[in-house]
Amino acid sequence: MKRVYYVTSHIDSADQIASDMHNEGITDWNFHVVSKDQDGLHSHHINSAHYWQQFDLVHTALRGTLIGAAAGLLLGFTVNVAAGFGWLSVPLLVLIGALFGGWLGAFLGLYHENYKISRFHDDIEAGKYLIMVDVHKDKEAQIRAVMERHHPEAALSGEDSTLINPFKGHMGKATE
């Protein structure tokens, strides 16, 4: 799936966009808004972005898992060669390293904004509404046409995949 980003300045615009997206068959599962105005989103019944979309939780957990597994593999081979433990220690240490790295990465990710939305940090801090619409390729042109025709106030601000790549991006700015 593809994620298309729009930025708008007004809650009423975000509300109307949400309504239009629902009319086009986009469910709340594929439509999210990031804003400092959580009360406004709630009172307008607009689907707010989830924690894993706002914070770098999943991205850093994946990175931590890979780094932990690599460290566990290195430690496993070192322990096996130096101490003569059986080969069973290698996969066990890889597993322990992956679990610990994933846990630590997820914990650290709670303190950073999602790497995919960090480029919109200044807009969000300025009180604007970041609208994220997840669409299949065959519906993308239809959604863009609706947005251009009915919502010229919402600027098309980018597009990306909905998949999380642990090798792409960087840690975002720490949240306060």
Side-chain angles (χ1 to χ4, degrees):
M1 283 190 112
K2 187 178 215 176
R3 178 166 292 156
V4 185
Y5 299 95
Y6 291 91
V7 174
T8 188
S9 300
H10 305 288
I11 186 81
D12 293 331
S13 173
D15 191 11
Q16 188 58 48
I17 291 169
S19 178
D20 288 347
M21 291 299 109
H22 289 129
N23 290 340
E24 293 297 322
I26 302 296
T27 64
D28 281 344
W29 186 256
N30 295 320
F31 179 86
H32 299 92
V33 179
V34 178
S35 172
K36 287 175 54 175
D37 182 18
Q38 290 297 313
D39 292 336
L41 294 177
H42 181 70
S43 67
H44 282 261
H45 307 289
I46 299 173
N47 195 30
S48 178
H50 300 288
Y51 285 117
W52 60 82
Q53 293 168 325
Q54 294 182 40
F55 299 102
D56 221 18
L57 180 75
V58 176
H59 182 241
T60 54
L62 289 172
R63 278 189 174 181
T65 299
L66 293 172
I67 292 168
L73 183 65
L74 181 62
L75 182 62
F77 282 127
T78 303
V79 165
N80 189 32
V81 169
F85 289 119
W87 283 104
L88 186 58
S89 64
V90 176
L92 182 63
L93 286 172
V94 168
L95 178 64
I96 290 170
L99 291 173
F100 179 74
W103 172 80
L104 184 60
F107 182 74
L108 294 173
L110 286 172
Y111 294 97
H112 294 86
E113 66 186 350
N114 190 308
Y115 77 105
K116 290 186 175 225
I117 66 168
S118 63
R119 59 187 158 163
F120 305 109
H121 176 82
D122 293 338
D123 287 332
I124 295 166
E125 286 299 312
K128 294 182 180 179
Y129 300 86
L130 174 64
I131 298 167
M132 302 184 298
V133 183
D134 299 340
V135 295
H136 290 285
K137 293 241 183 219
D138 57 333
K139 259 193 131 168
E140 182 184 355
Q142 177 185 352
I143 296 302
R144 285 182 185 235
V146 168
M147 290 299 293
E148 287 174 15
R149 188 171 47 249
H150 297 292
H151 302 287
E153 77 283 359
L156 176 62
S157 300
E159 57 185 50
D160 201 350
S161 170
T162 57
L163 298 176
I164 297 171
N165 183 349
F167 302 110
K168 187 175 179 186
H170 55 78
M171 294 282 284
K173 297 176 185 174
T175 57
E176 298 169 4

